[in-house]
Amino acid sequence: MSDRLEQSKALANEHRIAILEWLANPWDHFSHQVTGDPREIGVCVTLLTEKLGMAQPTVSRHLELLRRADFLTVKRIGKWAFFKRNEAGIAAYKDWLNDSL
C-alpha cells in the first residue's frame, strides 16, 4: 500500500502531470530533439527543463520521483539521460486505482 501512496504523491504536482502528458506524445512536444527520435529513446532532461522553465536540479527531482513511482523509465546515452513513460507501470497504477475506489 505504501508504494501506491508514493505513486499517488508523485502525481500530486502539476509539473509532474505535465511531464507525463508531454511524454504521452513526445513527438508533438519534442520533435526538435537532435539526439534521436523521442518516441524511441525518450526525451532529454535538457528539453524537459527548457519546456518547464525551471532549474535543471528541480526538473531532475521531478523526474526521479516519477521514475521511482514506476511511471517513467530512463535511458542513459553518454552523459545524457532520456526519459520515457513506463506504460506498464502507469497501467498497473490505473488498475489498482479502479479496483480500490
Side-chain angles (χ1 to χ4, degrees):
M1 182 66 131
S2 64
D3 289 340
R4 298 298 186 200
L5 181 59
E6 291 304 314
Q7 287 181 306
S8 297
K9 287 180 184 178
L11 296 176
N13 179 282
E14 66 184 307
H15 302 295
R16 292 192 287 271
I17 296 292
I19 290 167
L20 288 173
E21 288 173 352
W22 296 333
L23 294 181
N25 297 297
W27 189 256
D28 293 347
H29 302 280
F30 304 102
S31 61
H32 60 287
Q33 178 171 282
V34 296
T35 307
D37 188 332
R39 296 170 293 194
E40 294 176 20
I41 66 169
V43 175
C44 181
V45 174
T46 303
L47 295 180
L48 289 163
T49 300
E50 289 172 4
K51 191 158 181 77
L52 285 166
M54 304 173 112
Q56 189 272 328
T58 303
V59 174
S60 290
R61 176 74 176 138
H62 286 308
L63 292 168
E64 180 60 18
L65 287 170
L66 289 168
R67 189 198 62 76
R68 286 193 352 230
D70 204 27
F71 297 142
L72 295 180
T73 60
V74 62
K75 180 177 187 171
R76 300 204 183 276
I77 301 174
K79 64 179 183 172
W80 306 107
F82 297 83
F83 287 85
K84 287 177 72 171
R85 282 171 52 115
N86 178 6
E87 297 300 342
I90 292 168
Y93 178 77
K94 286 179 179 179
D95 289 345
W96 169 80
L97 196 58
N98 283 330
D99 292 344
S100 298
L101 296 180

